[in-house]
Amino acid sequence: MSAWGRPLSPLQRLLGLLLGVLLLSSTCLGPVRAAQQEPRIMTTQLDHLPAGLFYFDDSPVVMLHDHHRGKLLRSPDAGVSWAPIAGVPEGEARLFWQHPYDSNRAYVLSAGRKHWYSHDRGATWTAWEASASPSPWREQLIFHGSDPDKIIYQAEACKSFFECDEVAMHTTDGFRTEPKLLRSASRGCSFARASELFTTGEATLDERRIVCIVRGRNSPWMKDTRVVYSDNYFEDETEPELAPGRTVKGIVRMATVKKFMVMAARAERTDEMALYVTDDTKTWHQAEFPAHKVEEGAYTILESTNYSIQVDVMNTKPSSAMGVLFTSNSNGTYFTRNIEHTNRNQDGHVDFEKVQGIQGIALVNTVKNWEYVEERGYQSKQIESRISFDDGRTFQGLRTKDGDTLQLHSVTDQRNAGRIFTSPAPGIVMGVGNTGPYLKDYKDGDLYVSDDAGATWWKGRDDAHKYEFGDQGSILVAVYDEGPTDEIIYSTDHGHEWTAFNLGEKVRARLLTTTPDSTGLSFLLVGSKEGAEPAEHFVFAIDFEGLSARKCDERDFEKWYARVDEDGEAGCLMGHKQYFRRRKADASCFIKDEFADPQPQFEECECADADFECDYNFVRDGKDCVPAGPLVVPAGQCRKGEESFMGSSGFRLIPGDDCKRTGGAQKDAEVERPCKESAAKPPADGKTRHAMSHIKGDQVADFFYLERTETSAGDDETILMRTDRGQIFITRNHGETWEELKDAFGGDKITGMRHHPHFNDMVFFTTESLKVWYTTNRAETFDWFEAPMDANRQGLPALRLHPTNKNWMIWTGAVECGDGKGSCHSLASYSTDRGDHWETLLRYVGRCQFIPEEGRGRSTDMRDQAKREQLVYCEQYARENPHNELQLVASDTFFKEHKVQFDNVVRFATVSEFIVVAAKEKDSMKAAVSVDGWTFADALFPPDFDFPKQQQAYTVLPSSTHAVFLHVTVSGEQDAEYGPIIKSNSNGTSYVLALPHVNRDRNGYVDFEKVHGLEGVAVANVVDNVANVRETRQKKLKTVITHNDGAEWDHLPPPKEDAKGKRYECDGGLEKCSLHLHGYTERRGGRAAYSSQAAVGLMFGVGNVGPHLKGRKDSDTFMTRDGGISWVLAQEGEYMWGFGDQGSILVLAKVAEPTDVVLYSLDEGRKWEELRFTEGKFRIDALTTAPSDNSRKFLLWGLDMDDKESLTTVALDFSGITDVPCRLDEEDPAAGDYDLWQPKHPAQDNHCLFGHVEEYHRKRPEAVCYNGRRALHVHSIARNCSCTRQDFECDYNYVRQTDGSCGLVPGLAPKDHSEICRQDPDTVAWYEPTGYRRIPLSTCSGGHELEYLEDRAHACPGHEQEFGQAHRGISGAGLFFAIVIPIAAASAAGWWVWRNWDGKFGRIRLGEAGGSVFDAGSPWIQYPVMAVAVVVAVLAAVPDVAGRVWRFGAKRLGVARGSAGGGLGGVGRYTTRGSFARGRSDYAVVDADEGELLGEDSDEEV
């Protein structure tokens, strides 16, 4: 069983089963009994329980793993004698692997680079070495299905403590020589022929093809991982098209299941996964599950057959885990439902097991009271056992010979190693359970036996026992399992009669096992004495060879059929009669054919109704199979006006059924069906469509897009809307029709609606009571939980949600608020099961929230990783007194333990990978930054700077480039607000000036906007008249743009011509004749971002050409196609805009004027066409589309001038223009429908940005096709570039001069760069400051490396000789990273952060108070770096500054090390408090009481 949700290796399972690690002293106590009629026992005493015990198949050789001492012991005689293996030093054996296809081979892996192999069942061992240590993340060894010498070694290579990468290596000679590098940046590799059954269909490919999951193109994050294959050990590689016409990103799992290979992919903002299946690695199909979605951690690939895949899909909350069992067709793509309400546990284990060796028989446990369990949780399950004799087509209850109903404990309650019920012994089945209507506790169970493959059962022994099978079922062995025992029992007549014998020691049984094929007469029992000090443990070797001297002959065997009817006649099963030559139950002999597996025989049967089941998307209705939904139409049918198509009859032959077909009509023969029953869409006719809807209500209060992702199975475009009257409406077709959800909430009045900021399909609905309704499946069904108390009265968000665990939440409520004693305060509670149970987190709190894992990496230690996920920050009043100062406390144990991070905290915020804290310290303020959540460093401000009495404010701006951008408010007077933007180094601790005089408004919003999808490009508006703006209160604004992350800023060049084709009438160069755009502070509700993540390089803006920005009435709409380098006039006047199908559809709508048309373009704005959508007039208030901008549908919100009493929407549908998907060929981009577009810096001609040339996919404007839901991504880094001035910014205490150079701020000293020698003792040299530091994003090398000069190099103490030899000392890159990363390493490509951040323009505003004490000539204006300490004040988090960073720091095999971290992030578009929001969470309200932006709080506030 493979539980992909939480995979466990065999070693981990056995480790958990045996509860300890091994420490063996080889003390043989000799035989306990030697009588002829009793088994022979040899006892070996242990000091600890074994971590692993392994048989070599078809041999008596057993290996025992002493994990505690790191060594292995070997027994050549089935456990009678033991000895440490020779050749592997003690302490080195960390992992033990057996070759799955060669029973002679085994491998020992250490924690380092030296390992060992054996080709003679562990008798001798040979060392081999690799250049990297074993991977802590994946299975370390992957074996070829037919060539035992071919092995993939998955490892982790570390250049330094902070820089590690996963690599795959390979050997073709069984490690006789050192393995070679196969693929760097791997995330798991496998041979195509990873099982003996899988084949590509070509012998050469079977031998050589290797498939790998690898890191994304220029991205370390899971969302961008890809799958590639190679037939020449990755001298070259190919990315296969998993979906029609396209590759797939976000591959997270890969597995070979019998003759199938399965890939699992997951997109951002969802836990829904897509499974892609192949049976040859050439052709892939997406697996389809009718009416169910597959979620990460919520599906388990079960023990499958040679002809189908069986998957259990969880469809409930984890606390009440239940699932649905599906079986695929013969190519693994279409799955049909077998049985519902299967019993699962939270680890992904499912109560399902096939009867070994017999086709079509399986046992499963289901939940009888499933409706009650969904309400009440896991503990109340009433489990019943079921069995199928037709491979899951039908199930029935288990029956004893007395007719009683029998229930058995299964996989979720496993008490022994190996299979639960069966072995290769034909038809012999055992289990622990009870009779009655449902399963009782394990200790209330008895041992039951069946010898007809589970058809009938009888009680073998009272009480629960561990059990095993031997000699092909001739002997059954069991040991008491409810407490200590000194007896073991056995039966030689299929469990009817049992005989006991004494072990010689009274022990608690831990493990009972035998050879994997159950053909021998030797068994091993591991037990321990309870209560003994020190602990005593034993391994008993039990040999039944002497019980019977006679070997069975032919008269002792019977022809046993696997299935018989009520009359005892052989029945057909899966198209044949299956039988075995089996020893009779009453025969007094042993088979004694050790290691000879029983072989089934077959008799052919003709096809009958029992050989057919319901086809994909059909369900049983009596004897018929009827459609469960719209039918899938074969390609090419129902396309050209046909009224019918040839489709499924509703039946299919059960996969693997080999019945003999006879003449006449076939049950699964295709039948003619009407096209109207199909799911086929009408063919594209080149036309656009529109639909107007009127909704009762005065105003829209909230609406959310529940957007599908790349891995989503459906194609609906769902929107939820709440009106000001509390009504909830839903549309599944992007607004074409709306339906009110009248009965979804049990009559409760909905007072609020909140979209989960990290999971698209999840929405919460608050009511007037404590009841909170929610949906996890796009409003298909609704559930509720009861909040622990009323919402708090401090205006804090009541509900905070975890970024990766959707069932985790924090509720901040009000307590002691109605007693009149004045003790009202806030209390935080937490739940890890979606509100089923609540526990107190902390009392007397302010704001509490989960801290995302950005920058903190992932740990190889599962316990450490769990703590990382549990990290919570809370503001708490000191000594639980609301009159005291607030402290910032942190805990990763849900406050069972905690640490006070800061006293007298003002506010904290999470900003990309940074955690920023503002705290009071005596009469001043300080800011501190952390990237790991625990260690903080003070933000580095100029020395000897006193904090002024009157505080100002600053705003933390969105950042995607591995630096903090702060807007410092130096003038807070109304209508005269402005200040500089300063930028941090890569750990957020030292700041330099990026841009002075940037405009902001009274609410803290700033005219600064990152351009989506492009590295380091941002647009800002600056105040040009700072000298007199406080007197005039009339700002004169100019728009500027940066192409190198704030290091340099330029004016926007005007279009070459106006609407009349003439040159714009202004002179004086760009200073007096440039393009100016209205910024964020002027947007209606914050909508209409300049750019879109999906439409790289395209931007819109409303503004004018001239010396300054004019009013909106004097503005036109402009656009750029090259990331802001050149602009054109799109339309005269003010328009709102929308990006569709990733920029291949552009829509413009007139702002706030009655109209009947919108404009659209299909060629990036080169030509515009009108779409008339009404006969009357319509005032458009908002234009929206799916948050990812990949839909071909748009929605107009506004007022129908002929019906002013209703809310009105107009759905615009462009999907009829074409139904041809665009073709993307990553290997040969020119062969598809895309161009490779390269962004550039306007001052450079070589397309270099941040030290490299980057290439993006952009659909050709003339291509008549659509992009669809797939996220187009960076194609490649074409090349790295030499360094230029554009790769550097001014260093700490330096400021940019008028000539563009960096000069030292008068009165300040450069930073002491010799500090690097103390921080890193291995550093050879340090360099004097030059005034420049490298932009964190830059990857340039050579050229003008301005951050160090050769004549300013100095030797670090103790390295003078090395310095003299090297001349240049360490590399510039080494010095750079050593200087700017004094706290923690952080090496992500910043564009990934922006790509993963789903917000667009929200801000974090830190503090504000009264008017300003500064004037225009103040030195704080000249040297804004010094003003940082002035403006550190109240900190508030906002939704659109969520992101990801490549951060290392983890443990591998007990050694602290690093690997990638990450998770889901970002929040979706939504509106707040009655206003429309066009951007992604780009509108945040101002709390009237505090004057603080809710920011991120408003994401999750309920």
Side-chain angles (χ1 to χ4, degrees):
M1 178 183 302
S2 171
W4 281 7
R6 295 189 180 182
L8 295 175
S9 71
L11 285 176
Q12 289 172 314
R13 290 187 181 179
L14 193 54
L15 178 61
L17 195 66
L18 299 183
L19 308 174
V21 294
L22 163 75
L23 184 60
L24 174 69
S25 64
S26 299
T27 306
C28 293
L29 305 183
V32 175
R33 292 291 184 95
Q36 186 176 359
Q37 293 304 312
E38 289 193 354
R40 183 169 65 99
I41 303 175
M42 293 295 293
T43 306
T44 304
Q45 186 172 351
L46 314 174
D47 292 329
H48 293 84
L49 292 172
L53 192 153
F54 315 91
Y55 277 91
F56 281 95
D57 197 18
D58 295 340
S59 83
V61 179
V62 190
M63 302 293 293
L64 203 149
H65 187 196
D66 176 349
H67 189 274
H68 181 74
R69 289 185 175 173
K71 68 177 183 179
L72 286 158
L73 295 104
R74 179 178 185 269
S75 172
D77 47 16
V80 173
S81 61
W82 297 90
I85 62 173
V88 179
E90 182 171 334
E92 295 294 322
R94 297 301 179 186
L95 295 170
F96 177 77
W97 279 87
Q98 290 178 281
H99 199 297
Y101 308 119
D102 187 331
S103 60
N104 293 310
R105 302 192 183 202
Y107 308 86
V108 172
L109 302 183
S110 71
R113 299 182 178 183
K114 187 174 183 179
H115 314 291
W116 296 263
Y117 68 81
S118 172
H119 290 176
D120 54 9
R121 293 176 173 156
T124 60
W125 294 85
T126 303
W128 59 276
E129 293 190 12
S131 59
S133 53
S135 170
W137 305 102
R138 344 207 158 265
E139 292 185 342
Q140 295 80 16
L141 299 180
I142 305 296
F143 301 92
H144 195 280
S146 58
D147 187 341
D149 281 334
K150 288 187 170 70
I151 305 172
I152 295 172
Y153 169 60
Q154 302 196 116
E156 187 177 52
C158 293
K159 295 180 180 179
S160 68
F161 180 84
F162 297 110
E163 189 177 0
C164 295
D165 189 22
E166 290 188 72
V167 298
M169 312 181 84
H170 77 286
T171 177
T172 58
D173 59 8
F175 296 117
R176 294 177 180 87
T177 59
E178 183 174 331
K180 300 176 182 178
L181 178 65
L182 180 68
R183 181 60 157 83
S184 59
S186 66
R187 299 296 180 266
C189 292
S190 174
F191 293 103
R193 188 172 174 80
S195 81
E196 294 173 307
L197 295 175
F198 189 93
T199 178
T200 63
E202 298 181 37
T204 302
L205 298 185
D206 282 350
E207 285 297 312
R208 299 179 63 88
R209 177 159 292 183
I210 296 174
V211 184
C212 289
I213 301 172
V214 298
R215 191 170 60 195
R217 297 179 187 272
N218 317 307
S219 165
W221 303 105
M222 189 65 73
K223 72 177 186 65
D224 293 312
T225 53
R226 306 173 296 129
V227 59
V228 295
Y229 68 81
S230 175
D231 300 329
N232 53 16
Y233 301 108
F234 285 90
E235 292 180 12
D236 55 57
E237 64 186 37
T238 301
E239 186 172 2
E241 294 181 352
L242 301 190
R246 67 181 179 93
T247 58
V248 174
K249 297 190 303 176
I251 306 297
V252 296
R253 297 283 188 276
M254 171 173 58
T256 300
V257 185
K258 298 294 180 70
K259 71 168 189 174
F260 307 99
M261 179 173 282
V262 183
M263 295 285 173
R266 194 198 70 189
E268 299 174 273
R269 297 183 53 78
T270 182
D271 55 2
E272 183 174 1
M273 309 200 69
L275 300 185
Y276 298 92
V277 183
T278 182
D279 56 9
D280 60 6
T281 70
K282 302 172 186 176
T283 303
W284 294 79
H285 303 277
Q286 183 171 351
E288 297 189 31
F289 295 81
H292 282 80
K293 67 177 183 178
V294 177
E295 296 181 355
E296 186 174 26
Y299 70 98
T300 304
I301 296 182
L302 301 170
E303 177 187 13
S304 299
T305 67
N306 296 345
Y307 39 79
S308 65
I309 305 172
Q310 291 186 296
V311 179
D312 189 85
V313 178
M314 187 171 72
N315 61 350
T316 63
K317 292 183 290 187
S319 60
S320 56
M322 295 179 287
V324 181
L325 177 64
F326 290 90
T327 300
S328 77
N329 61 351
S330 58
N331 69 359
T333 55
Y334 290 104
F335 285 76
T336 55
R337 185 183 309 155
N338 295 124
I339 190 170
E340 304 216 31
H341 318 306
T342 54
N343 185 50
R344 304 170 53 93
N345 65 16
Q346 296 187 21
D347 294 324
H349 298 154
V350 182
D351 280 348
F352 175 89
E353 183 176 290
K354 292 181 176 293
V355 172
Q356 190 172 359
I358 301 176
Q359 286 184 300
I361 303 181
L363 292 95
V364 64
N365 280 352
T366 61
V367 180
K368 183 177 181 180
N369 61 333
W370 58 271
E371 291 176 305
Y372 180 82
V373 171
E374 286 184 355
E375 288 288 330
R376 299 300 180 93
Y378 180 85
Q379 292 79 3
S380 57
K381 286 181 179 178
Q382 293 181 356
I383 296 172
E384 58 181 359
S385 299
R386 316 277 288 172
I387 189 168
S388 173
F389 293 97
D390 53 12
D391 215 26
R393 175 175 172 267
T394 60
F395 286 85
Q396 64 193 51
L398 302 182
R399 297 288 179 184
T400 68
K401 289 187 174 181
D402 297 329
D404 296 326
T405 301
L406 178 64
Q407 322 297 348
L408 296 175
H409 291 270
S410 186
V411 176
T412 60
D413 195 18
Q414 186 169 5
R415 302 301 179 106
N416 202 21
R419 301 178 68 84
I420 304 298
F421 303 115
T422 66
S423 76
I428 311 296
V429 189
M430 285 195 285
V432 172
N434 57 270
T435 57
Y438 56 86
L439 186 63
K440 299 178 182 179
D441 186 75
Y442 182 79
K443 289 188 175 182
D444 295 326
D446 301 312
L447 178 62
Y448 283 85
V449 185
S450 170
D451 65 358
D452 54 9
T456 57
W457 297 76
W458 62 89
K459 184 193 291 188
R461 296 287 287 188
D462 290 333
D463 302 321
H465 286 69
K466 285 181 167 62
Y467 46 85
E468 261 298 355
F469 309 80
D471 198 46
Q472 300 186 31
S474 299
I475 186 166
L476 309 180
V477 180
V479 61
Y480 181 71
D481 197 29
E482 296 184 18
T485 182
D486 58 1
E487 287 187 336
I488 196 163
I489 61 174
Y490 66 91
S491 172
T492 59
D493 61 356
H494 293 184
H496 292 281
E497 299 292 336
W498 295 81
T499 302
F501 62 93
N502 191 274
L503 284 169
E505 299 286 350
K506 192 168 186 177
V507 296
R508 183 68 166 89
R510 303 299 183 185
L511 171 69
L512 177 63
T513 187
T514 185
T515 57
D517 56 16
S518 295
T519 61
L521 290 165
S522 299
F523 296 79
L524 288 178
L525 171 66
V526 177
S528 57
K529 281 190 175 182
E530 295 186 338
E533 291 293 340
E536 294 182 38
H537 308 280
F538 303 89
V539 56
F540 301 90
I542 306 168
D543 185 5
F544 289 90
E545 179 74 27
L547 283 187
S548 175
R550 190 168 73 87
K551 177 180 173 67
C552 296
D553 55 31
E554 196 60 35
R555 63 184 174 179
D556 297 305
F557 290 91
E558 64 181 348
K559 186 178 183 180
W560 178 78
Y561 282 92
R563 185 79 165 103
V564 295
D565 58 24
E566 295 178 355
D567 299 325
E569 296 296 325
C572 292
L573 182 66
M574 302 296 291
H576 53 254
K577 297 174 183 178
Q578 184 180 15
Y579 66 90
F580 291 84
R581 178 177 175 267
R582 189 174 79 172
R583 172 189 172 274
K584 296 175 182 177
D586 57 358
S588 58
C589 61
F590 285 141
I591 298 175
K592 297 185 180 181
D593 285 339
E594 194 171 16
F595 314 128
D597 297 348
Q599 297 299 317
Q601 303 295 321
F602 301 98
E603 296 175 359
E604 191 177 58
C605 296
E606 292 185 355
C607 293
D609 287 350
D611 296 299
F612 296 87
E613 65 181 0
C614 291
D615 202 354
Y616 169 76
N617 213 21
F618 286 81
V619 295
R620 179 70 66 174
D621 182 13
K623 294 183 178 181
D624 296 323
C625 290
V626 298
L631 302 180
V632 177
V633 178
Q637 299 194 43
C638 291
R639 300 286 295 168
K640 300 179 180 179
E642 299 100 328
E643 295 184 356
S644 63
F645 69 98
M646 296 303 294
S648 173
S649 67
F651 290 92
R652 70 172 183 181
L653 190 68
I654 297 173
D657 192 303
D658 55 5
C659 65
K660 180 181 179 181
R661 291 183 182 268
T662 58
Q666 301 295 313
K667 199 173 184 69
D668 58 350
E670 288 188 340
V671 298
E672 187 174 353
R673 292 188 177 275
C675 287
K676 64 182 181 181
E677 292 184 3
S678 74
K681 297 179 180 179
D685 56 7
K687 298 180 181 179
T688 59
R689 292 172 174 80
H690 59 270
M692 182 177 289
S693 300
H694 295 87
I695 303 168
K696 293 181 179 180
D698 299 325
Q699 189 177 358
V700 175
D702 301 286
F703 72 88
F704 307 115
Y705 278 84
L706 308 189
E707 187 176 17
R708 293 286 188 182
T709 67
E710 287 185 86
T711 59
S712 296
D715 59 1
D716 61 285
E717 298 193 25
T718 298
I719 307 172
L720 281 172
M721 174 181 62
R722 182 174 70 92
T723 71
D724 57 339
R725 300 179 184 179
Q727 303 158 293
I728 305 296
F729 289 86
I730 188 171
T731 175
R732 301 285 186 187
N733 50 22
H734 210 130
E736 292 180 23
T737 57
W738 293 87
E739 175 188 359
E740 184 177 359
L741 298 176
K742 294 181 179 180
D743 303 321
F745 308 106
D748 294 327
K749 182 178 179 180
I750 302 302
T751 59
M753 181 173 71
R754 289 295 178 266
H755 196 191
H756 197 302
H758 309 291
F759 293 92
N760 286 355
D761 297 348
M762 199 168 187
V763 183
F764 296 86
F765 307 84
T766 54
T767 66
E768 296 175 316
S769 67
L770 293 179
K771 188 181 290 186
V772 179
W773 288 87
Y774 65 89
T775 177
T776 62
N777 53 11
R778 311 174 59 76
E780 292 289 347
T781 60
F782 294 86
D783 203 344
W784 61 272
F785 63 83
E786 188 170 287
M789 63 204 73
D790 289 331
N792 65 84
R793 300 188 181 182
Q794 296 178 254
L796 300 168
L799 185 64
R800 305 288 292 192
L801 301 165
H802 195 279
T804 58
N805 295 305
K806 72 178 183 182
N807 299 312
W808 292 16
M809 55 185 68
I810 296 173
W811 182 273
T812 305
V815 294
E816 300 179 10
C817 294
D819 56 9
K821 297 181 180 179
S823 58
C824 179
H825 65 275
S826 296
L827 183 149
S829 304
Y830 74 95
S831 173
T832 58
D833 54 11
R834 209 181 302 161
D836 286 350
H837 304 90
W838 293 93
E839 299 286 343
T840 297
L841 188 69
L842 209 60
R843 295 177 172 84
Y844 289 90
V845 300
R847 189 164 58 105
C848 289
Q849 73 176 64
F850 295 104
I851 301 300
E853 287 191 72
E854 286 91 345
R856 295 191 287 127
R858 292 186 64 83
S859 175
T860 59
D861 186 316
M862 298 302 292
R863 290 171 295 182
D864 181 54
Q865 179 59 32
K867 285 189 173 184
R868 290 166 182 258
E869 295 175 352
Q870 292 171 191
L871 183 59
V872 176
Y873 277 14
C874 281
E875 300 163 347
Q876 184 187 37
Y877 291 99
R879 298 176 294 282
E880 296 190 354
N881 186 338
H883 300 292
N884 290 336
E885 71 276 8
L886 276 175
Q887 295 178 321
L888 180 64
V889 291
S891 175
D892 55 13
T893 61
F894 292 120
F895 286 91
K896 294 178 178 64
E897 300 172 343
H898 71 270
K899 176 184 178 182
V900 177
Q901 294 281 22
F902 292 91
D903 293 311
N904 211 354
V905 69
V906 180
R907 211 63 188 270
F908 72 92
T910 56
V911 186
S912 274
E913 68 266 34
F914 305 104
I915 303 169
V916 185
V917 175
K920 295 180 182 178
E921 191 174 69
K922 296 181 180 181
D923 296 329
S924 65
M925 301 284 288
K926 74 171 184 178
V929 181
S930 175
V931 292
D932 68 0
W934 289 105
T935 305
F936 281 84
D938 290 342
L940 190 58
F941 301 139
D944 301 324
F945 181 74
D946 294 327
F947 196 92
K949 295 181 180 179
Q950 194 164 8
Q951 303 174 13
Q952 291 293 299
Y954 66 76
T955 301
V956 182
L957 300 169
S959 176
S960 61
T961 52
H962 198 44
V964 177
F965 280 79
L966 296 177
H967 178 271
V968 179
T969 300
V970 297
S971 173
E973 298 180 18
Q974 185 170 339
D975 297 325
E977 305 92 345
Y978 69 89
I981 289 176
I982 58 176
K983 178 188 176 185
S984 80
N985 61 349
S986 60
N987 71 348
T989 57
S990 69
Y991 294 80
V992 296
L993 175 66
L995 181 66
H997 315 319
V998 180
N999 182 50
R1000 60 153 280 186
D1001 65 12
R1002 69 187 68 178
N1003 297 324
Y1005 292 118
V1006 179
D1007 276 350
F1008 172 88
E1009 184 171 325
K1010 290 280 190 175
V1011 175
H1012 300 330
L1014 292 178
E1015 293 179 330
V1017 182
V1019 177
N1021 282 346
V1022 297
V1023 178
D1024 195 39
N1025 59 329
V1026 295
N1028 64 2
V1029 69
R1030 295 180 184 175
E1031 291 74 32
T1032 64
R1033 303 300 171 103
Q1034 296 290 326
K1035 297 178 183 178
K1036 294 183 179 180
L1037 302 180
K1038 284 181 174 289
T1039 300
V1040 292
I1041 189 170
T1042 178
H1043 293 272
N1044 58 357
D1045 207 34
E1048 298 175 302
W1049 295 82
D1050 299 295
H1051 297 287
L1052 293 183
K1056 293 182 179 180
E1057 56 186 34
D1058 60 16
K1060 299 179 181 179
K1062 298 181 179 180
R1063 181 177 173 273
Y1064 280 91
E1065 297 180 358
C1066 58
D1067 297 306
L1070 289 180
E1071 180 65 30
K1072 294 185 177 180
C1073 187
S1074 60
L1075 176 63
H1076 309 286
L1077 303 176
H1078 291 273
Y1080 186 82
T1081 60
E1082 298 184 75
R1083 294 200 180 128
R1084 291 178 172 86
R1087 64 180 180 271
Y1090 289 140
S1091 58
S1092 167
Q1093 179 71 39
V1096 178
L1098 300 182
M1099 296 169 58
F1100 282 97
V1102 171
N1104 61 273
V1105 174
H1108 296 102
L1109 182 63
K1110 299 180 181 179
R1112 286 185 172 275
K1113 292 184 179 180
D1114 299 318
S1115 296
D1116 297 318
T1117 303
F1118 299 87
M1119 74 171 295
T1120 176
R1121 304 182 187 95
D1122 54 15
I1125 293 178
S1126 63
W1127 293 79
V1128 297
L1129 177 68
Q1131 293 293 323
E1132 290 186 287
E1134 182 183 2
Y1135 283 80
M1136 61 185 76
W1137 53 86
F1139 300 90
D1141 194 37
Q1142 305 187 49
S1144 72
I1145 303 171
L1146 306 176
V1147 175
L1148 295 178
K1150 197 68 177 175
V1151 173
E1153 292 183 12
T1155 184
D1156 58 353
V1157 298
V1158 295
L1159 301 176
Y1160 70 93
S1161 173
L1162 304 178
D1163 57 2
E1164 296 184 346
R1166 293 172 174 81
K1167 182 177 69 174
W1168 295 92
E1169 298 184 41
E1170 285 190 350
L1171 169 58
R1172 189 173 304 278
F1173 60 85
T1174 179
E1175 296 299 323
K1177 292 293 182 179
F1178 186 83
R1179 189 192 70 205
I1180 303 173
D1181 295 324
L1183 165 65
T1184 67
T1185 186
S1188 63
D1189 293 331
N1190 62 22
S1191 174
R1192 290 188 286 167
K1193 297 181 179 181
F1194 297 79
L1195 196 59
L1196 305 177
W1197 306 74
L1199 181 65
D1200 184 355
M1201 307 307 292
D1202 296 328
D1203 184 1
K1204 298 183 179 181
E1205 302 300 319
S1206 301
L1207 294 171
T1208 307
T1209 64
V1210 179
L1212 308 177
D1213 185 357
F1214 294 87
S1215 61
I1217 293 177
T1218 181
D1219 55 7
V1220 178
C1222 295
R1223 184 173 178 272
L1224 173 63
D1225 188 339
E1226 290 276 12
E1227 305 305 320
D1228 184 10
D1233 293 307
Y1234 296 90
D1235 286 324
L1236 290 180
W1237 178 74
Q1238 297 177 345
K1240 61 177 293 187
H1241 192 288
Q1244 299 177 203
D1245 296 326
N1246 58 3
H1247 291 268
C1248 287
L1249 274 177
F1250 303 107
H1252 54 260
V1253 176
E1254 200 160 36
E1255 297 178 325
Y1256 294 81
H1257 294 294
R1258 269 200 357 197
K1259 175 179 166 291
R1260 294 193 182 106
E1262 69 275 8
V1264 183
C1265 60
Y1266 70 93
N1267 291 307
R1269 283 208 304 253
R1270 60 178 166 180
L1272 299 178
H1273 49 276
V1274 177
H1275 172 70
S1276 67
I1277 299 293
R1279 67 179 187 277
N1280 279 330
C1281 304
S1282 298
C1283 296
T1284 67
R1285 171 66 180 86
Q1286 283 72 37
D1287 293 297
F1288 298 87
E1289 60 192 5
C1290 293
D1291 201 356
Y1292 177 69
N1293 281 354
Y1294 287 79
V1295 66
R1296 188 180 182 189
Q1297 308 297 304
T1298 56
D1299 63 356
S1301 65
C1302 295
L1304 187 65
V1305 175
L1308 299 181
K1311 186 179 179 181
D1312 182 8
H1313 283 191
S1314 67
E1315 181 69 20
I1316 185 178
C1317 300
R1318 291 182 290 275
Q1319 293 174 352
D1320 185 358
D1322 294 330
T1323 300
V1324 174
W1326 65 275
Y1327 290 79
E1328 297 176 21
T1330 64
Y1332 298 90
R1333 69 183 186 190
R1334 189 184 299 250
I1335 297 170
L1337 279 178
S1338 180
T1339 62
C1340 72
S1341 61
H1344 300 292
E1345 295 184 324
L1346 302 180
E1347 81 269 39
Y1348 61 85
L1349 298 175
E1350 180 64 24
D1351 59 358
R1352 296 190 182 187
H1354 302 274
C1356 284
H1359 293 279
E1360 289 80 4
Q1361 183 175 357
E1362 296 169 81
F1363 175 81
Q1365 293 173 348
H1367 299 290
R1368 291 177 56 89
I1370 64 170
S1371 70
L1375 177 63
F1376 168 72
F1377 280 105
I1379 294 175
V1380 302
I1381 311 181
I1383 306 298
S1387 54
W1391 67 266
W1392 185 92
V1393 180
W1394 185 253
R1395 171 65 184 88
N1396 275 262
W1397 163 60
D1398 288 330
K1400 289 189 178 179
F1401 305 104
R1403 302 292 187 267
I1404 301 176
R1405 187 166 64 88
L1406 286 82
E1408 182 149 60
S1412 173
V1413 296
F1414 303 114
D1415 54 36
S1418 167
W1420 317 122
I1421 302 297
Q1422 301 174 32
Y1423 310 128
V1425 172
M1426 301 173 65
V1428 175
V1430 180
V1431 297
V1432 175
V1434 181
L1435 214 71
V1438 297
D1440 62 322
V1441 284
R1444 294 291 180 265
V1445 66
W1446 181 246
R1447 161 88 176 146
F1448 298 90
K1451 293 181 179 179
R1452 182 188 57 79
L1453 297 175
V1455 180
R1457 280 251 292 284
S1459 189
L1464 304 180
V1467 289
R1469 295 183 184 173
Y1470 65 98
T1471 53
T1472 309
R1473 311 203 180 177
S1475 296
F1476 293 102
R1478 171 57 184 84
R1480 288 183 183 158
S1481 311
D1482 55 1
Y1483 177 66
V1485 302
V1486 178
D1487 188 298
D1489 296 329
E1490 294 186 6
E1492 296 296 340
L1493 294 183
L1494 293 180
E1496 186 176 354
D1497 298 352
S1498 66
D1499 299 350
E1500 305 173 9
E1501 179 190 5
V1502 175

